[in-house]
Amino acid sequence: MFHFLKLIKQLQHPDSKMEALKELDLFAVKNERNRKYMVEAGVPRAMLLFIVNCFKEDCVSGLEEALSALFLIRIPSAEAKLLPKQNDQIIKSLIWVLGCEFNTQVMVKSHAVSALKSIIETASSVVLERLEPKFFKMIVRVLKQCTTKITQRGINSALHVLLDACPWGRNRLMMVESGAVFVLIELELGSPEKRTTKLILGILFHLCSCADGRAEFLRHKGGITVVTMRIMRVSPAADDRAVMILSLISKFSATSWVVHEMLEVGTVTKLCMLLQLDCATYLKEKTMEILRSHSDDWLKFPCIDKSVLTRLENRRWLFRAKGRVCLAFADEVLCWLYGTVKENEDYILQFAPPFNRLELLQAQSCPDTITNHMNITHDKVPPSSAFVCKGKPPNLVDS
């Protein structure tokens, strides 16, 4: 550790700083034991302050070695929290690095973004609220040139930076103005790894919570398509973000073009399929909300399977009769007809809007009097008519 402290002191002298940086980089590469002692000696802090000095002097000499060593030893969260006063300068310095040109362009910028991620994760809300438009423009620029300017790990770090800054409305507006929505959709269209997809959908959800973000999202012809494609293909967390994005679009920006687009690219079909999976209850409710809000419009198109949409936009239950359960049918004129179901047979029921009465969808056998009455009144009675169970139905299971 003493040797590392000596090298840190040498960084302050112009004649010896390059040799000290190269030696620190070599020690960091060798093994984990060296990296542990370097952290204890305060090398991460020294590297960050060195980068700040380079920014102030507009000098790139030594930056490659400093960022490489910093990437290898990483910035401990405890260390980053000890630099609250320098955070603004460190962030500005790293953004400056992203705009510079180096011989090892990809690695240097990837290391710079990784360091930026560590700083942003531990930065206070005061620092995050003061981020400038240049900050977001540079991050978006890096993502836009990701195929040639940055590694996959660097891409994920840049996305983490944007996601951590999203909770503040001012930051979301600056992201939208910097073209983040378009770049994120283009990046997702390239079919990245699952971790990247989850980060992209998380950021898009935040950006779509504002009107400008939704407008940019819809301006890209592949926005709704790429979000739809990711449902049921990545993870439950990705499904959550994708459905929430579609919910925001459906609720606040549902023009006739958007409604038609959601049908044409398979969004409606995907949402119907999602309802049949064993997913979270709140996610099913949000999916049902989307389907119900525009079902009248979607049912007008000949390409939609009306029976599927009609069934899945309502809650359905399956119960097995274990005794002599009495069913009753009620219509507008309150005409009651009774029948007795058979034991050990399945009956599918659903809640019928707008009064949420139970109605019978399917039964293996049904009393003829009820079946005939249902056929006669089907065209005359509004959807509120329902088959209901006398008493509490046994074995009620969500299907």
Side-chain angles (χ1 to χ4, degrees):
M1 188 184 295
F2 175 77
H3 185 62
F4 294 135
L5 292 172
K6 181 182 176 181
L7 291 174
I8 290 174
K9 289 183 179 179
Q10 291 179 4
L11 292 174
Q12 301 172 5
H13 302 284
D15 296 335
S16 61
K17 69 177 183 180
M18 286 305 301
E19 291 183 7
L21 283 169
K22 290 178 181 178
E23 194 169 346
L24 286 169
D25 190 22
L26 287 173
F27 275 117
V29 170
K30 282 186 178 180
N31 54 56
E32 185 63 33
R33 179 172 172 270
N34 285 348
R35 292 192 285 271
K36 179 183 177 182
Y37 286 137
M38 292 172 78
V39 170
E40 293 176 359
V43 174
R45 179 189 179 94
M47 293 295 98
L48 289 171
L49 294 179
F50 177 82
I51 295 169
V52 172
N53 288 331
C54 289
F55 166 61
K56 291 179 179 178
E57 297 172 4
D58 196 20
C59 174
V60 298
S61 178
L63 277 176
E64 293 183 41
E65 291 78 8
L67 285 166
S68 176
L70 193 62
F71 175 76
L72 290 169
I73 60 181
R74 300 177 185 177
I75 306 172
S77 58
E79 185 80 8
K81 290 178 181 177
L82 296 176
L83 299 166
K85 294 182 180 179
Q86 291 91 354
N87 271 346
D88 282 333
Q89 287 296 315
I90 293 172
I91 291 171
K92 289 180 181 178
S93 302
L94 292 171
I95 290 297
W96 168 73
V97 171
L98 292 176
C100 296
E101 296 295 327
F102 300 90
N103 294 328
T104 56
Q105 186 87 331
V106 174
M107 296 311 300
V108 172
K109 295 201 173 184
S110 297
H111 295 163
V113 173
S114 295
L116 188 61
K117 171 181 174 286
S118 300
I119 297 298
I120 291 295
E121 282 178 340
T122 57
S124 65
S125 59
V126 176
V127 173
L128 295 175
E129 287 173 351
R130 290 203 303 260
L131 294 175
E132 300 175 353
K134 183 179 179 181
F135 174 90
F136 296 105
K137 288 179 181 177
M138 190 57 68
I139 298 295
V140 171
R141 178 182 169 187
V142 168
L143 289 173
K144 191 173 183 179
Q145 302 171 339
C146 64
T147 55
T148 56
K149 300 291 184 180
I150 196 170
T151 63
Q152 181 61 50
R153 185 169 181 174
I155 292 172
N156 289 345
S157 295
L159 293 172
H160 269 292
V161 169
L162 292 180
L163 189 58
D164 288 337
C166 275
W168 288 268
R170 175 176 174 271
N171 292 344
R172 291 196 293 269
L173 289 175
M174 287 189 287
M175 287 184 209
V176 173
E177 290 171 0
S178 64
V181 175
F182 193 93
V183 171
L184 290 171
I185 294 173
E186 287 292 314
L187 183 59
E188 186 56 36
L189 284 170
S191 300
E193 63 180 28
K194 291 183 178 181
R195 185 183 305 177
T196 304
T197 293
K198 287 190 282 187
L199 290 169
I200 291 173
L201 292 177
I203 299 168
L204 285 175
F205 165 69
H206 283 287
L207 298 185
C208 285
S209 65
C210 63
D212 291 346
R214 291 191 298 275
E216 286 296 301
F217 179 85
L218 294 174
R219 195 170 67 85
H220 193 295
K221 293 182 179 179
I224 296 176
T225 302
V226 75
V227 171
T228 299
M229 287 169 57
R230 296 300 176 259
I231 296 176
M232 299 187 298
R233 288 191 176 182
V234 181
S235 69
D239 290 345
D240 174 278
R241 297 296 87 181
V243 170
M244 291 303 175
I245 292 169
L246 294 173
S247 176
L248 288 169
I249 298 298
S250 172
K251 187 174 183 180
F252 299 108
S253 306
T255 62
S256 57
W257 174 84
V258 170
V259 172
H260 185 269
E261 180 77 4
M262 292 176 74
L263 182 65
E264 199 170 57
V265 302
T267 304
V268 180
T269 303
K270 268 292 182 73
L271 292 175
C272 289
M273 292 171 65
L274 185 62
L275 283 177
Q276 301 177 69
L277 295 181
D278 185 20
C279 59
T281 303
Y282 79 92
L283 196 59
K284 284 192 176 185
E285 291 177 353
K286 186 61 66 173
T287 303
M288 302 256 286
E289 183 182 314
I290 299 172
L291 290 172
R292 284 172 176 159
S293 60
H294 304 293
S295 59
D296 291 342
D297 294 317
W298 287 324
L299 287 170
K300 295 176 183 177
F301 293 94
C303 57
I304 189 67
D305 188 342
K306 296 178 175 58
S307 61
V308 172
L309 184 59
T310 303
R311 290 175 187 172
L312 292 179
E313 71 174 342
N314 294 290
R315 296 179 184 176
R316 297 183 300 168
W317 279 266
L318 171 69
F319 81 89
R320 173 158 295 210
K322 287 189 175 180
R324 298 174 66 79
V325 181
C326 190
L327 294 175
F329 181 85
D331 59 21
E332 276 189 323
V333 295
L334 299 177
C335 175
W336 294 87
L337 297 174
Y338 296 90
T340 304
V341 297
K342 294 184 179 180
E343 293 187 12
N344 298 320
E345 288 193 2
D346 294 338
Y347 296 82
I348 299 177
L349 303 101
Q350 71 174 359
F351 273 119
F355 301 109
N356 281 342
R357 294 176 178 172
L358 280 171
E359 71 176 6
L360 185 66
L361 276 185
Q362 182 181 336
Q364 290 173 292
S365 65
C366 192
D368 292 337
T369 51
I370 295 180
T371 304
N372 294 336
H373 184 75
M374 182 174 65
N375 292 334
I376 294 171
T377 59
H378 222 282
D379 297 330
K380 302 178 181 179
V381 181
S384 58
S385 298
F387 275 106
V388 297
C389 295
K390 295 280 285 185
K392 184 178 179 181
N395 291 354
L396 201 59
V397 181
D398 190 352
S399 65

